[in-house]
């Protein structure tokens, strides 16, 4: 009985591995062919799943509008804007290499310029507007909470971006970012 159970578990594991490999190959091909659309779809889906999971873990009733708002933000910013920032602009400004100096420059630009002064204000403004607030309220919240948020982010995102810019293929960086965002 134990041998049959182990044999079945192995078959399931190999089928899962094959399915995940097929999904990864499909995603990589589409990321090269249509990077913006693929990035949007990937981040939109991941954002919706992450917010739904958080709501479920908190034991609250599922708020579909909240999940949709979060998915729209992650699709637009994580999938579209981050493609142009990380793949296009960083590549043109700092080069495509994965040497230590290039990677450190990308991480520094991302974590000490892009995230605190572009991403965070946009996030707080969007969050405010999506919840019937104002731009001024979003900016005030960013001024009050932004630095504490960035300190927390740096513990996860600095090591992640070191790996993302050094070992993750260029066309897979947005998908990798989705995984990290899901952890965050």
């Amino acid at each position: 009985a134990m041998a049959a159970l182990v044999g079945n578990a192995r078959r399931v594991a190999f089928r899962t591995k094959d399915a995940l490999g097929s999904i990864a190959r499909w995603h990589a091909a589409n990321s090269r062919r249509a990077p913006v659309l693929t990035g949007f779809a990937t981040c939109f889906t991941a954002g919706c799943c992450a917010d739904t999971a958080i709501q479920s873990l908190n034991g609250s009733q599922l708020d579909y509008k909240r999940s949709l708002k979060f998915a729209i933000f992650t699709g637009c910013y994580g999938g579209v804007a981050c493609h142009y920032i990380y793949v296009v602009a960083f590549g043109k400004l700092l080069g495509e290499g994965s040497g230590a100096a290039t990677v450190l420059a990308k991480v520094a630009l991302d974590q000490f310029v892009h995230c605190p002064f572009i991403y965070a204000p946009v996030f707080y403004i969007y969050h405010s507007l999506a919840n019937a607030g104002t731009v001024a309220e979003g900016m005030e919240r960013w001024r009050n909470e932004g630095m504490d948020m960035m300190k927390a982010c740096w513990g996860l995102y600095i090591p992640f971006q070191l790996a993302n810019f050094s070992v993750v293929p260029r066309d897979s960086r947005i998908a990798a970012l989705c995984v990290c965002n899901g952890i965050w």
Side-chain angles (χ1 to χ4, degrees):
M2 183 57 101
L5 182 63
V6 170
N8 285 337
R10 284 185 181 156
R11 281 190 287 284
V12 169
F14 286 123
R15 287 183 186 140
T16 302
K17 181 182 172 192
D18 289 344
L20 291 175
S22 294
I23 292 167
R25 286 187 296 280
W26 175 86
H27 190 276
N30 282 298
S31 291
R32 285 187 294 279
R33 204 175 8 252
V36 174
L37 180 60
T38 303
F40 176 84
T42 302
C43 291
F44 180 93
T45 303
C48 188
C49 291
D51 189 67
T52 301
I54 291 298
Q55 289 183 55
S56 297
L57 290 172
N58 289 339
S60 45
Q61 184 175 354
L62 189 57
D63 181 347
Y64 293 103
K65 287 182 182 179
R66 174 187 142 163
S67 293
L68 180 61
K69 290 173 192 178
F70 190 72
I72 289 168
F73 178 79
T74 57
C76 291
Y77 200 94
V80 178
C82 285
H83 167 76
Y84 286 109
I85 293 165
Y86 296 144
V87 178
V88 178
F90 280 20
K92 287 183 180 178
L93 287 172
L94 303 168
E96 294 296 338
S98 58
T102 302
V103 169
L104 289 173
K106 288 178 181 180
V107 172
L109 184 59
D110 180 47
Q111 294 299 304
F112 301 109
V113 178
H114 164 243
C115 287
F117 300 110
I118 299 171
Y119 167 77
V122 169
F123 172 79
Y124 281 110
I125 290 168
Y126 177 83
H127 186 271
S128 179
L129 293 173
N131 292 292
T134 66
V135 170
E137 290 168 340
M139 289 301 293
E140 181 65 25
R141 192 163 165 223
W142 170 68
R143 280 190 290 280
N144 293 333
E145 300 173 12
M147 186 50 72
D148 289 335
M149 181 191 75
M150 287 312 306
K151 289 176 186 174
C153 284
W154 290 330
L156 175 64
Y157 283 94
I158 288 175
F160 166 76
Q161 289 292 43
L162 286 168
N164 200 23
F165 291 126
S166 62
V167 298
V168 175
R170 180 178 181 253
D171 295 327
S172 298
R173 288 186 185 146
I174 300 305
L177 180 65
C178 283
V179 172
C180 188
N181 290 345
I183 293 167
W184 173 252

